[in-house]
Amino acid sequence: MADQSAELVQGTLDMLILKTLDLEPMHGWGIAQRIRQMSGGVFEINPGSLFPGFRRLERAGLLDCEWRTSENHRRAKYYSLTKMGRRKLATETREWGRQVAAIGKILETAS
Amino acid sequence: MAFFRNLTGGLRSLIQKESVEHELDEELREFVDANAAEKMRTGMSREQAYRAAKMELGGMEAVKENVREATWESWIEALGSDLRFGFRLLRFNPIFAITAILSLALGIGANTAIFQLIDAVRLRTLPVRNPQEIARVAIDGRHGASGSFSSRYPDLTYVLWGQIRNQQEGFSSMFAWSPAQFNISPGGEVHNVQGLWVSGEFFSTLGVEPALGRLITPEDDRAGCGSAGAVISNSFWHREYGGEPSVLGQNLIVNRHPLPIIGVTPADFYGVEMGRYFDVALPVCAEALVNGEDSRLQSRSGWWLSVMGRLKPGWSVERAATQLRAISPGIFEATLPTEFNPQNAKTFLQFKLGAFPADSGVSELRGSYEKPLWLLLGLAGLVLLIAAANLGNLMLARASTREKEMAMRMAVGAGRARLIRQLLVESLLLAGIGAAVGAVLARSLSQVLVASLSTANDPLLMNLGTDWRVLGFIAALAVLTCMLFGLAPALRATNVSPGLALKESTGGQSRGRSRFGLRRVLVVSQIALSLTLLVGALLFARSMDNLAKVDTGFQRYGILVTDIDFTTLKLPIEGRRQFANELLKHVRGIAGVQAAAIAEIVPLSGNGIAHDVLMGDSGVPEGEAPAATFNRVSPDYFRVMKTSFLAGRDFDERDVANSPNVAIVSQSFLKEFVKEGNPIGTRFRVRRLNQTSSPYEIVGVVKDTKYYDLRENVQPLVYTAIAQYEHPASDAQILLRSDLSLSGLISSVKSVASEANPNLDVSFVPFHKMIEDGLLSDRLMARLSGFFGMLAVLLAVIGLYGVISYLVASQRTEIGIRMALGAGQPQIVWLVLREAALLLAIGLSIGTALALLMGKAATSMLFGLKPSDAGTFVVALVVLSIVAVGAAFLPAFRAASINPMACLRNE
């Protein structure tokens, strides 16, 4: 599986974290799992970049966090989207869509 | 909001460091637990699952470091720990720390002190409201103006000022002012203070409010004002009146006239002249009262006022200048001096007024000191460069001893950038402390500098406060030197392979040439720069020496210049001549006075008279005529000055008011005007403005003497007999030659004067002292460049010594082997010295080129020698070579006394 996993496009990790938290608050491991599942195993998230991402987003006011008891009865740090985080996700998604569409067009005409 | 969260989050992790760290630990552990639990579900053993989970996380500490580095506070934390580490290192190496900090402090202090002076005379703006609106009005490019010029800023005459004030449009208000010396002594020995003549609009235009009482207003400054009120400065108020409010209404004596004090200016107001101050300000109209018959208010050719104004909103300096230009023809037409001849009048009528920015006030110091100061700043900058190079060398030496430390840190995972930052923080720490000490040093240094430029008759006061420019300058110096001495060593030090840490390397091994190359480059540049500074120091010292020894045509030592002013006696013309002669006779009678004479102009005092000379004794004079300088003297003048006669006789009792006019001329006068034949008996006439004198007959010829200043080429000089002058002054300037002690002589002259009349004003200055005061900027250059030159050589020699010692230490093995193979001590000494000689030779050649280049900037400041003076270069090269070779000898001998066996055993 590892050899099939792809490198994340620079700067998209933040967007994926926000997207994952759109549904419900989650803890670190859960977020990593969810990203892998949702991408069909294409993206293997490296914890070394995941945690700095959390800290960065938290500082930017896009994430909130609180300590809760997890499903297996252990204390875990749960992250959730703030209002600003939701807004950021919406604009990022729109922007991403626009860019993908544009790149798609270029690739089609080129071939 | 986001910013706030970022800030509080950062502060929390700075303050509650432990709990934040703890949370992170817990979070990561939870992650590993969850991952392992997942893996166990797929059938791994617990042990396997945990190992795999930890592998995936990839180093707990590395992840934590990454998380921390995602925030701003990590930067501060790292800086803090770097600083702590740096401090510890400095504490363990006190000698290194003290040497480094002291040499930086000296370099930065010297630079800052000189910069403070430049700031004070050139860069600061006037301490008044909206200084950018202030402009100076003067004649644009005035050449060939005639008349009498007094004060430091003789821009305009009083009548011109009146016309300008009435006809200008660009200024909301204008004022005229002029610096002066006021004698505030009630009688006896003169006590001069710094005075200001100001027109009524002076204070209101500048926006200065009184600290006490009221200031001079247009009401006070009306033509023909009788007894005017005096405004005194804050410092004068405190100095002379102890800051007592009762000063208001008290009388101040100015040139024997009691004037009531009406107000005190605020403490930060020094007038509009940078580098100067004033004690007493009087309205311009009172000049008629105070100066009596010498008043310049009525004179159309008396230039003494400077005019400034505040621009109206929306008016630029250019627009105001255009308007002034337009009204110029009418103004000059209306103020044409009647006494001008057609030649003078033509020049006068072509003058055009102009306006010039004056937001930083005016300062004649800029002319005399700005260039020397910039040059000194350049020299001080070179010293700082040498100091930085020295430090760079020390840091490199440290870097090589810290190689293992660096390799070890890299091996445990520190990035190169992180290590460079650590090393740079150490350098910055040194530079910072050095700059702080330097700033303190600069405060006293700049005071000393100002004091060395001040004289009793010409005191300076500089506002040397530390403003943003000075602070910025210090900060820039600190950062720049830090980069200079810190960056290269930091790059070098961290350019090691982590593997080195694991190797057991011995000391005393040659480390490869490239590592050593940088140190050589530093030493070569040190030698080059110090040669430049040494050449500069020698040039200025020799220039000063030339000035001191220049043939002035007179003997400057042993002469006291005495001015006895009898204006208060209100003597008629004939009475003045007689009174002056009586005084002279009494002064000559003082025991111990070898000779005494009256002179209108004291040579090198800066004063002078120039008239046109017409050869022959008849004919209608027309057009331009060559000019000569003049002096009016009594008999014995040449004996006092010890100026030798080449032909003819001195003035004597035959030369009186109604006898034929006689003159004594200088050698150059003969060369220019008489050319051939016997000069004695030759006749010429003198033209002043539109008046031509009756003929003068030459009765004597004397040696050339300097007239205005020491640097000039001697010019034609005519002496006339003061007894024949039709407008005798109401003072007698007596020059007396004596071997008596100065104080004894002065008290004798004082008692002679008070015997003649108790109501006289007397002042004294030793002649040689007056000349020395005119050489302040030369002396400043000679002293400071000498100081910098010595400092530079010292630093360079230390640098060379350090490098050669290092070289010897790192080649111990090689030297040991050579000795074991039979090399004798002389060969080893030569081996080491050869290296030093090579560095020296390269440094000296570069330095020679550099000195030749720098010398061009100093050309105009040198007297009697060229900046490429061969003798100076030879001396500098020899001195530096001897000192440098001396410094290299010590390590060379140490190398030669290596015990080859002990050395090889170490391998």
Side-chain angles (χ1 to χ4, degrees):
Chain A
M1 199 169 80
D3 46 48
Q4 284 171 7
S5 67
E7 284 287 313
L8 272 180
V9 179
Q10 193 84 39
T12 47
L13 177 63
D14 288 5
M15 197 168 67
L16 295 185
I17 296 172
L18 292 178
K19 178 66 190 169
T20 320
L21 293 172
D22 198 16
L23 294 172
E24 54 175 341
M26 293 178 107
H27 54 73
W29 169 247
I31 294 170
Q33 287 293 93
R34 181 64 66 81
I35 292 176
R36 201 176 58 192
Q37 283 165 10
M38 289 199 303
S39 70
V42 175
F43 293 140
E44 187 75 36
I45 301 300
N46 172 17
S49 46
L50 192 61
F51 284 97
F54 290 160
R55 180 63 59 93
R56 206 168 40 238
L57 292 169
E58 196 187 336
R59 279 299 168 75
L62 303 176
L63 294 188
D64 248 340
C65 64
E66 70 178 319
W67 287 89
R68 278 200 224 160
T69 315
S70 67
E71 54 269 31
N72 46 1
H73 310 292
R74 297 183 52 129
R75 250 166 64 82
K77 197 175 182 183
Y78 275 74
Y79 293 93
S80 59
L81 285 187
T82 62
K83 249 189 214 155
M84 221 198 302
R86 262 175 228 293
R87 241 179 291 143
K88 177 87 174 165
L89 176 61
T91 54
E92 291 272 296
T93 313
R94 233 185 357 259
E95 185 58 22
W96 180 255
R98 245 163 46 84
Q99 283 182 9
V100 168
I103 292 171
K105 256 185 216 160
I106 294 170
L107 292 181
E108 272 165 29
T109 48
S111 61
Chain B
M1 175 64 196
F3 168 77
F4 186 67
R5 189 192 281 252
N6 196 354
L7 186 70
T8 48
L11 288 178
R12 182 172 159 253
S13 56
L14 278 179
I15 297 162
Q16 302 175 319
K17 198 172 161 55
E18 268 182 33
S19 82
V20 171
E21 281 289 292
H22 184 73
E23 273 180 26
L24 185 58
D25 272 342
E26 204 172 337
E27 189 180 2
L28 290 178
R29 213 179 310 126
E30 163 62 23
F31 186 91
V32 172
D33 283 348
N35 196 355
E38 182 73 25
K39 289 194 185 335
M40 282 194 285
R41 219 175 302 149
T42 61
M44 280 192 191
S45 74
R46 188 182 167 79
E47 210 174 307
Q48 278 175 325
Y50 266 93
R51 193 183 313 139
K54 279 183 181 160
M55 288 270 275
E56 268 176 42
L57 189 65
M60 198 74 132
E61 287 308 312
V63 174
K64 277 159 76 177
E65 189 60 36
N66 279 342
V67 172
R68 280 188 222 114
E69 278 181 4
T71 60
W72 60 265
E73 70 270 14
S74 69
W75 198 85
I76 292 186
E77 267 184 357
L79 191 68
S81 67
D82 283 350
L83 278 176
R84 272 193 302 279
F85 188 68
F87 262 119
R88 217 163 39 223
L89 279 183
L90 291 188
R91 243 197 6 244
F92 288 147
N93 285 299
I95 294 180
F96 168 75
I98 289 170
T99 327
I101 289 168
L102 265 188
S103 56
L104 278 178
L106 267 178
I108 292 178
N111 276 281
T112 309
I114 294 167
F115 183 77
Q116 273 185 313
L117 254 69
I118 294 178
D119 184 37
V121 298
R122 174 82 268 182
L123 304 174
R124 265 171 206 274
T125 53
L126 285 173
V128 300
R129 178 166 49 84
N130 300 338
Q132 72 284 354
E133 294 171 1
I134 305 290
R136 178 181 182 181
V137 174
I139 294 167
D140 199 354
R142 181 180 63 187
H143 293 295
S146 311
S148 108
F149 298 82
S150 45
S151 102
R152 280 192 290 274
Y153 308 95
D155 290 349
L156 298 167
T157 66
Y158 185 66
V159 280
L160 271 170
W161 149 236
Q163 294 278 333
I164 293 169
R165 175 170 48 181
N166 294 337
Q167 296 186 33
Q168 63 83 19
E169 287 167 10
F171 298 89
S172 55
S173 66
M174 302 194 85
F175 62 85
W177 69 284
S178 179
Q181 302 253 340
F182 293 152
N183 174 18
I184 60 163
S185 157
E189 188 166 359
V190 168
H191 176 32
N192 277 333
V193 297
Q194 305 305 308
L196 265 193
W197 296 113
V198 301
S199 71
E201 307 84 351
F202 182 82
F203 293 108
S204 58
T205 306
L206 290 173
V208 177
E209 297 293 330
L212 189 73
R214 65 181 189 85
L215 302 178
I216 292 165
T217 64
E219 282 296 289
D220 297 299
D221 183 27
R222 274 168 302 136
C225 61
S227 175
V231 165
I232 58 174
S233 75
N234 216 287
S235 64
F236 186 73
W237 178 40
H238 283 279
R239 203 164 68 227
E240 299 282 323
Y241 298 94
E244 289 291 330
S246 61
V247 69
L248 291 181
Q250 284 190 34
N251 273 341
L252 179 73
I253 311 267
V254 177
N255 294 13
R256 300 294 188 106
H257 299 278
L259 302 172
I261 293 171
I262 59 169
V264 179
T265 56
D268 63 347
F269 183 71
Y270 299 101
V272 291
E273 198 182 357
M274 290 303 198
R276 307 276 178 174
Y277 63 94
F278 75 98
D279 297 311
V280 179
L282 293 179
V284 167
C285 67
E287 203 257 352
L289 173 78
V290 171
N291 283 348
E293 65 176 67
D294 295 332
S295 169
R296 298 156 290 187
L297 289 181
Q298 303 301 326
S299 164
R300 291 186 157 208
S301 59
W303 306 83
W304 64 293
L305 290 171
S306 178
V307 169
M308 288 186 186
R310 186 178 287 278
L311 291 164
K312 282 180 185 161
W315 279 72
S316 65
V317 173
E318 292 75 29
R319 192 170 158 208
T322 312
Q323 197 265 333
L324 287 167
R325 218 180 151 74
I327 58 171
S328 293
I331 288 183
F332 286 104
E333 191 85 44
T335 58
L336 179 66
T338 47
E339 62 270 34
F340 273 8
N341 62 36
Q343 202 73 32
N344 308 137
K346 201 175 141 211
T347 319
F348 186 84
L349 290 174
Q350 278 168 356
F351 285 150
K352 292 277 181 282
L353 292 168
F356 309 91
D359 54 342
S360 52
V362 297
S363 177
E364 106 290 3
L365 298 174
R366 288 172 196 154
S368 40
Y369 291 122
E370 197 174 347
K371 198 169 178 207
L373 283 176
W374 283 114
L375 189 67
L376 280 176
L377 190 62
L379 295 182
L382 290 186
V383 173
L384 186 59
L385 267 183
I386 295 175
N390 239 3
L391 265 188
N393 246 332
L394 279 172
M395 297 295 268
L396 277 175
R398 262 160 53 104
S400 54
T401 61
R402 284 171 75 177
E403 254 171 9
K404 288 197 93 175
E405 175 196 336
M406 292 300 148
M408 182 63 83
R409 283 154 154 246
M410 281 183 153
V412 297
R416 188 169 175 212
R418 183 72 190 72
L419 289 183
I420 289 177
R421 186 168 77 181
Q422 154 75 43
L423 289 173
L424 275 185
V425 164
E426 283 175 43
S427 310
L428 199 60
L429 195 65
L430 281 176
I433 300 176
V437 179
V440 175
L441 218 60
R443 288 188 78 84
S444 11
L445 274 178
S446 54
Q447 301 284 1
V448 171
L449 276 180
V450 174
S452 74
L453 294 177
S454 277
T455 63
N457 283 325
D458 193 15
L460 302 184
L461 180 84
M462 306 245 182
N463 184 1
L464 294 170
T466 311
D467 62 2
W468 59 269
R469 271 187 229 97
V470 175
L471 285 179
F473 183 80
I474 297 176
L477 279 187
V479 171
L480 202 72
T481 47
C482 166
M483 286 296 157
L484 277 176
F485 72 74
L487 194 57
L491 290 177
R492 274 296 153 88
T494 54
N495 188 14
V496 289
S497 83
L500 189 68
L502 310 172
K503 268 192 233 148
E504 190 61 46
S505 96
T506 54
Q509 217 168 20
S510 299
R511 283 258 163 70
R513 293 254 143 184
S514 74
R515 189 146 297 245
F516 198 61
L518 188 60
R519 307 195 66 187
R520 291 171 206 247
V521 170
L522 284 177
V523 162
V524 164
S525 49
Q526 278 185 316
I527 292 172
L529 291 177
S530 59
L531 179 74
T532 311
L533 285 167
L534 193 58
V535 167
L538 288 171
L539 283 177
F540 284 113
R542 291 193 53 195
S543 166
M544 184 69 208
D545 194 48
N546 286 345
L547 280 169
K549 286 192 190 141
V550 68
D551 181 13
T552 51
F554 47 74
Q555 174 46 255
R556 69 182 83 169
Y557 292 98
I559 297 177
L560 179 68
V561 179
T562 305
D563 187 72
I564 303 179
D565 192 324
F566 44 87
T567 311
T568 46
L569 306 186
K570 298 198 163 47
L571 294 171
I573 297 287
E574 202 40 49
R576 291 180 186 180
R577 202 171 277 155
Q578 214 173 346
F579 191 81
N581 277 335
E582 284 296 309
L583 279 177
L584 181 59
K585 202 184 290 170
H586 285 123
V587 168
R588 280 179 177 156
I590 296 173
V593 169
Q594 294 151 4
I598 297 179
E600 185 86 15
I601 301 291
V602 178
L604 307 183
S605 64
N607 299 324
I609 310 170
H611 296 314
D612 297 344
V613 171
L614 308 160
M615 295 312 292
D617 57 3
S618 59
V620 183
E622 260 177 45
E624 287 185 47
T629 48
F630 280 75
N631 199 355
R632 289 185 278 270
V633 301
S634 74
D636 262 5
Y637 172 78
F638 301 100
R639 232 158 55 81
V640 173
M641 303 303 284
K642 293 199 174 162
T643 300
S644 48
F645 269 87
L646 302 173
R649 63 166 177 93
D650 193 0
F651 300 130
D652 54 33
E653 60 280 356
R654 282 171 289 173
D655 308 312
V656 289
N658 47 13
S659 64
N661 282 340
V662 289
I664 293 169
V665 299
S666 70
Q667 254 172 306
S668 321
F669 183 90
L670 287 194
K671 252 179 249 151
E672 195 151 323
F673 292 92
V674 183
K675 298 194 175 88
E676 55 194 20
N678 183 7
I680 305 296
T682 305
R683 288 145 81 89
F684 63 88
R685 291 184 299 162
V686 178
R687 182 174 69 182
R688 177 180 187 266
L689 301 176
N690 59 0
Q691 290 174 326
T692 306
S693 72
S694 47
Y696 282 84
E697 185 181 313
I698 298 176
V699 294
V701 179
V702 290
K703 237 185 113 184
D704 278 325
T705 55
K706 300 274 178 182
Y707 190 72
Y708 286 110
D709 69 68
L710 283 177
R711 290 163 182 268
E712 72 190 6
N713 292 320
V714 285
Q715 27 193 330
L717 175 53
V718 177
Y719 301 89
T720 58
I722 201 163
Q724 296 184 325
Y725 184 50
E726 58 270 38
H727 308 292
S730 61
D731 69 332
Q733 197 157 239
I734 301 177
L735 279 65
L736 35 91
R737 178 170 287 284
S738 168
D739 295 332
L740 293 177
S741 77
L742 196 61
S743 56
L745 190 58
I746 286 176
S747 70
S748 305
V749 175
K750 267 193 209 168
S751 62
V752 161
S754 66
E755 265 167 47
N757 191 308
N759 256 335
L760 304 179
D761 294 323
V762 205
S763 58
F764 305 93
V765 60
F767 186 48
H768 70 92
K769 183 86 177 56
M770 191 195 78
I771 296 176
E772 279 160 19
D773 286 352
L775 295 176
L776 283 177
S777 75
D778 298 280
R779 192 154 340 114
L780 179 78
M781 288 306 295
R783 282 196 188 152
L784 282 188
S785 64
F787 174 65
F788 290 155
M790 259 161 46
L791 209 60
V793 171
L794 186 71
L795 286 171
V797 162
I798 293 173
L800 183 69
Y801 171 79
V803 165
I804 298 298
S805 302
Y806 182 81
L807 179 96
V808 168
S810 61
Q811 290 182 339
R812 271 176 69 89
T813 318
E814 183 189 335
I815 293 169
I817 292 171
R818 278 169 186 266
M819 290 181 88
L821 292 179
Q825 284 203 350
Q827 277 101 325
I828 298 302
V829 169
W830 173 237
L831 180 77
V832 176
L833 280 187
R834 203 177 52 194
E835 177 73 26
L838 185 70
L839 295 178
L840 188 66
I842 301 172
L844 291 181
S845 4
I846 298 174
T848 307
L850 206 62
L852 284 172
L853 214 66
M854 290 273 295
K856 290 205 178 108
T859 311
S860 66
M861 277 179 248
L862 295 177
F863 178 77
L865 74 167
K866 290 202 183 68
S868 58
D869 183 70
T872 304
F873 273 81
V874 169
V875 172
L877 286 168
V878 168
V879 167
L880 196 56
S881 304
I882 291 174
V883 178
V885 170
F889 248 110
L890 219 59
F893 273 118
R894 205 176 315 131
S897 52
I898 286 174
N899 177 351
M901 283 327 285
C903 177
L904 291 175
R905 244 196 321 272
N906 267 344
E907 253 327 90

